[in-house]
């Protein structure tokens, strides 16, 4: 009996200690490394954005963040895997324009509301880039050639059904041309393809292409913005070259559905503080990252608006195979 009583007491202490330990963990969140899944390749714009953030983020988040790239399949495999992860606050996803566009091009296991918006970090208009030795010296020359050879001018994008693909589809409608669209497994491979001269042009968004533009490996024919970018004043817009078109991409963070709002707030606050850090601002400017803060609730509304926008673009252009036309 005495031994049984002792054993029971030990069991109670173990269980109580376990509860206290678990409570202690929640109080000091995060207490271990956090995984951030980027469903595009290393070297693409989304990857560059987050790796730049991680250079300063440790000032404000006392746990390491590990980027795990899951490229390919229009980001569907990466997000599908993410849906099965525990909502414990130690797993987040890069949530961006292609996250929305792909769901309207084809049936996906997720949609715009599958993940919880945390914070938007970046918004950047796309730009049309060509190899340094391209015969196209301006946007007009490229469009004139596309009109002479419908469907034969190759324009690379970062993935079929993704943001850069969708945006150039909308652009060709505005410009009255037809391109041959060449998908790649992310922005990094798209840049490599352009530098190597494997495509006639590419549609990406800053910070993709910044280093190659500065080194002279690529040239910018047009920026899809309302006005010239403050950080890149030498690159003309499509609008000033006669095509009334502007559209870009946003990049932020999403959480697994069911993640504790208190955990989401910790991540939001750490990234917001990083955005406001002067050292980070210098790094972001150098990398061509165009910051655009949207808090959790504003980001939630923005995602809903973008979802409606891209649904309309897909349906009006009769794109993809999700909808019946």
């Amino acid at each position: 009996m005495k031994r049984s009583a002792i054993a029971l007491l030990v069991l109670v202490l173990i269980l109580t200690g376990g509860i206290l330990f678990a409570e202690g963990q929640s109080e000091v969140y995060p207490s271990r490394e956090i995984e951030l899944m980027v469903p595009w390749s290393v070297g693409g714009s989304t990857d560059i954005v987050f790796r730049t953030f991680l250079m300063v983020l440790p000032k404000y988040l006392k746990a390491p963040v590990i980027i795990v790239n899951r490229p390919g399949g229009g980001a569907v495999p990466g997000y599908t895997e993410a849906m099965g992860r525990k909502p414990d606050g130690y797993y987040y996803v890069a949530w961006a324009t292609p996250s929305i566009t792909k769901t309207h091009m084809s049936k996906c296991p997720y949609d715009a509301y599958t993940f919880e918006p945390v914070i938007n970090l970046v918004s950047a208009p796309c730009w049309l880039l060509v190899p340094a030795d391209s015969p196209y010296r301006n946007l007009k020359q490229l469009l004139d050639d596309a009109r002479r050879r419908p469907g034969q001018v190759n324009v690379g994008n970062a993935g079929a059904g993704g943001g850069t693909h969708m945006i150039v589809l909308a652009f060709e409608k505005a410009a009255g041309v037809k391109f041959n669209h060449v998908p790649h497994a992310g922005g990094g491979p798209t840049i490599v393809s352009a530098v190597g001269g494997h495509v006639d042009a590419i549609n990406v968004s800053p910070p993709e292409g910044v280093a190659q533009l500065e080194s002279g490996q690529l040239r910018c024919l047009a920026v899809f913005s309302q006005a010239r970018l403050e950080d890149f004043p030498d690159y003309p817009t499509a609008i000033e070259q006669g095509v009334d078109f502007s559209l870009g991409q946003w990049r932020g963070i999403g959480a697994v559905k069911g993640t504790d709002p208190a955990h989401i707030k910790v991540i939001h606050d750490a990234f917001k503080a990083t955005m406001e850090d002067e050292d980070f601002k210098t790094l972001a400017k150098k990398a061509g990252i165009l910051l655009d803060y949207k808090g959790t609730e504003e980001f939630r509304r923005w995602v809903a608006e973008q979802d409606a926008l891209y649904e309309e673009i897909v349906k009006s252009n009769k794109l993809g195979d999700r909808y019946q036309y």
Side-chain angles (χ1 to χ4, degrees):
M1 289 293 292
K2 190 173 183 179
R3 288 181 179 177
S4 298
I6 292 173
L8 180 60
L9 179 60
V10 170
L11 179 60
V12 170
L13 288 173
I14 290 173
L15 291 175
T16 304
I19 292 170
L20 290 174
F21 180 69
E23 289 177 348
Q25 278 188 317
S26 65
E27 291 173 359
V28 298
Y29 172 86
S31 61
R32 55 185 171 87
E33 73 178 28
I34 293 170
E35 186 174 339
L36 176 64
M37 191 280 293
V38 175
W40 297 286
S41 62
V42 175
S45 58
T46 304
D47 182 75
I48 291 172
V49 165
F50 283 106
R51 291 186 189 277
T52 304
F53 265 92
L54 295 195
M55 297 173 72
V56 178
L57 184 66
K59 286 186 183 180
Y60 307 101
L61 188 65
K62 304 308 179 185
V65 175
I66 308 300
I67 292 177
V68 177
N69 297 86
R70 294 282 189 266
V76 175
Y79 286 129
T80 302
E81 176 185 321
M83 291 172 64
R85 298 299 293 262
K86 293 180 180 179
D88 58 7
Y90 289 94
Y91 185 88
Y92 294 86
V93 300
W95 196 232
T97 303
S99 316
I100 305 300
T101 59
K102 182 63 177 176
T103 66
H104 295 295
M105 288 288 286
S106 57
K107 291 182 179 179
C108 297
Y110 60 91
D111 60 23
Y113 306 95
T114 297
F115 299 98
E116 292 286 349
V118 176
I119 183 173
N120 187 69
L121 305 170
V122 171
S123 292
C126 284
W127 50 17
L128 204 61
L129 311 181
V130 297
D133 60 355
S134 170
Y136 309 127
R137 309 304 298 181
N138 53 53
L139 182 61
K140 182 178 183 302
Q141 291 179 351
L142 181 142
L143 295 179
D144 285 347
D145 191 27
R147 294 186 181 102
R148 286 193 297 268
R149 301 185 299 128
Q152 295 184 55
V153 174
N154 300 316
V155 178
N157 61 65
T164 56
H165 180 206
M166 193 77 68
I167 289 169
V168 83
L169 282 169
F171 172 69
E172 70 177 10
K173 180 179 180 181
V177 298
K178 180 64 179 175
F179 298 122
N180 177 42
H181 302 273
V182 183
H184 297 78
T190 309
I191 295 294
V192 171
S193 182
V195 171
H198 304 300
V199 289
D200 297 310
I202 59 172
N203 182 49
V204 291
S205 61
E208 289 167 342
V210 171
Q212 292 76 18
L213 286 166
E214 291 177 347
S215 67
Q217 294 174 296
L218 296 177
R219 287 188 286 108
C220 179
L221 296 188
V223 181
F224 297 155
S225 57
Q226 288 289 321
R228 293 196 182 198
L229 301 180
E230 180 180 351
D231 291 341
F232 306 99
D234 294 334
Y235 304 143
T237 67
I239 293 174
E240 65 187 271
Q241 297 179 80
V243 182
D244 188 13
F245 181 82
S246 63
L247 196 57
Q249 297 194 101
W250 45 268
R251 298 175 177 91
I253 300 174
V256 180
K257 187 73 74 174
T259 300
D260 188 337
H263 292 169
I264 288 177
K265 185 177 187 306
V266 169
I267 300 303
H268 166 277
D269 292 352
F271 273 88
K272 184 175 186 293
T274 302
M275 294 178 77
E276 297 169 349
D277 186 281
E278 292 303 322
D279 291 336
F280 174 75
K281 288 180 181 180
T282 299
L283 291 172
K285 185 176 181 64
K286 183 176 181 180
I289 295 172
L290 307 178
L291 300 176
D292 179 28
Y293 167 74
K294 288 182 176 64
T296 300
E297 291 307 314
E298 183 183 3
F299 190 25
R300 190 186 307 280
R301 292 191 296 272
W302 174 252
V303 168
E305 292 171 5
Q306 289 287 288
D307 185 53
L309 168 67
Y310 282 103
E311 180 179 354
E312 174 59 28
I313 289 175
V314 168
K315 288 181 175 178
S316 64
N317 288 279
K318 296 183 177 180
L319 305 173
D321 57 14
R322 174 178 173 179
Y323 303 108
Q324 297 297 320
Y325 300 118

